[in-house]
Amino acid sequence: MANYELIPFSTAEELSRAAASAWLDEIELANRAGKTHCVALSGGRIAQKFFTATVEQGRARTVSFAQVHFFWADERCVPPTDAESNFKLAQELLLAPLDIADHQIHRLRGEWPSAEAFTAAIAELASIVPVNPAGQPMFDLIFLGLGEDGHVASLFPGSPREVTVGTAPFLAVNDSPKPPPSRISLSYSALAAAGQVWVLAAGAGKEKVLRESLTDQSVTPLARVLRSRRHTKIFAETGKINL
Ligand code: 6PG
């Protein structure tokens, strides 16, 4: 029994619209239940399309985002005003257009030394995101992109064992093959503990690594995440990823 659901799309735009619609459904469910919705965002090209689609549909459906708390799956170690910042990307394409209040935004402070950034991030998490018995934050939903090498968040292939089995919720990455080199990332343990993880796999060059990640023996970062969870949704642009 596969522990993932792969949903195929012919274009990145179609994928983004469907993921946005499904996320808004989740937010409305939480609103109806009077619950907060704690989400962690990723960066990348598909995130841009996804954020834009979310704003468009969220406005049309008059969805309330008042109970949504925004965190990040990873952040580059740059100032929040830097063009490389995942926070800046979300701020411009999602948070500002939706007029999200500051108290709902919990960016990772990539510009700080990692130990201080982790301390701040864990303190913010602790006040909002429930933790499981192992002390892992249980985000309601984490969005991941997929890199051409199978990376998700800033978890890259070939990580040392302390990365793949570490129990801390955040990791410092200093040798990212995808620039910039220094990043902060949620750990495999934190991804495993989330209520839901949705992977938005779009763009040329992803076919081989996605196909590989779906095999039992794979050790790609995506494969590790899939094996660590009972269920993961994969929105795949199969128009470019000929599965
Ligand atoms: C980052 C992202 C990263 C991204 C993937 C996919 O900080 O770089 O979080 O994990 O999601 O590399 O990016 P694309 O959608 O641009 O291929």
Side-chain angles (χ1 to χ4, degrees):
M1 164 73 177
N3 52 355
Y4 63 85
E5 175 190 4
L6 190 141
I7 311 161
F9 297 93
S10 52
T11 67
E13 288 71 21
E14 188 190 345
L15 182 158
S16 301
R17 286 194 294 271
S21 176
W23 183 26
L24 294 170
D25 292 347
E26 294 293 321
I27 294 172
E28 287 186 325
L29 268 177
N31 289 345
R32 283 197 291 276
K35 290 181 179 171
T36 56
H37 177 78
C38 297
V39 64
L41 304 172
S42 284
R45 290 157 297 180
I46 191 60
Q48 298 174 38
K49 297 180 190 304
F50 168 60
F51 293 160
T52 303
T54 300
V55 171
E56 188 180 308
Q57 293 180 40
R59 284 174 172 161
R61 291 169 55 174
T62 61
V63 173
S64 167
F65 290 83
Q67 298 307 315
V68 182
H69 283 272
F70 297 84
F71 298 84
W72 274 261
D74 69 337
E75 182 56 279
R76 290 83 177 276
C77 292
V78 296
T81 52
D82 190 295
E84 289 290 337
S85 163
N86 286 341
F87 161 77
K88 183 176 192 292
L89 180 74
Q91 178 65 15
E92 289 179 352
L93 297 181
L94 181 72
L95 305 175
L98 291 176
D99 199 19
I100 302 297
D102 288 348
H103 75 272
Q104 294 172 251
I105 300 170
H106 312 281
R107 72 177 183 87
L108 292 169
R109 288 165 173 77
E111 72 278 21
W112 289 4
S114 51
E116 289 171 44
F118 291 172
T119 303
I122 288 166
E124 277 200 73
L125 275 175
S127 62
I128 297 162
V129 183
V131 293
N132 68 12
Q136 282 302 334
M138 295 189 294
F139 291 98
D140 293 293
L141 175 53
I142 298 177
F143 285 102
L144 298 176
L146 176 64
E148 288 79 356
D149 58 0
H151 79 257
V152 292
S154 287
L155 301 169
F156 292 93
S159 296
R161 181 168 165 70
E162 60 263 25
V163 168
T164 53
V165 301
T167 55
F170 293 100
L171 293 169
V173 175
N174 300 308
D175 55 357
S176 165
K178 175 180 181 182
S182 295
R183 294 148 170 261
I184 298 173
S185 181
L186 281 179
S187 63
Y188 285 103
S189 300
L191 297 181
Q196 297 192 72
V197 169
W198 296 1
V199 180
L200 309 185
K206 311 290 178 76
E207 171 186 352
K208 181 172 178 290
V209 76
L210 178 54
R211 185 195 300 276
E212 178 195 338
S213 299
L214 302 182
T215 62
D216 292 343
Q217 305 74 25
S218 178
V219 291
T220 68
L222 173 58
R224 290 184 187 278
V225 173
L226 296 178
R227 262 201 301 277
S228 74
R229 299 180 46 78
R230 277 197 306 275
H231 184 70
T232 299
K233 260 188 192 171
I234 303 173
F235 294 72
E237 184 194 357
T238 47
K240 285 214 173 82
I241 303 174
N242 182 22
L243 284 181

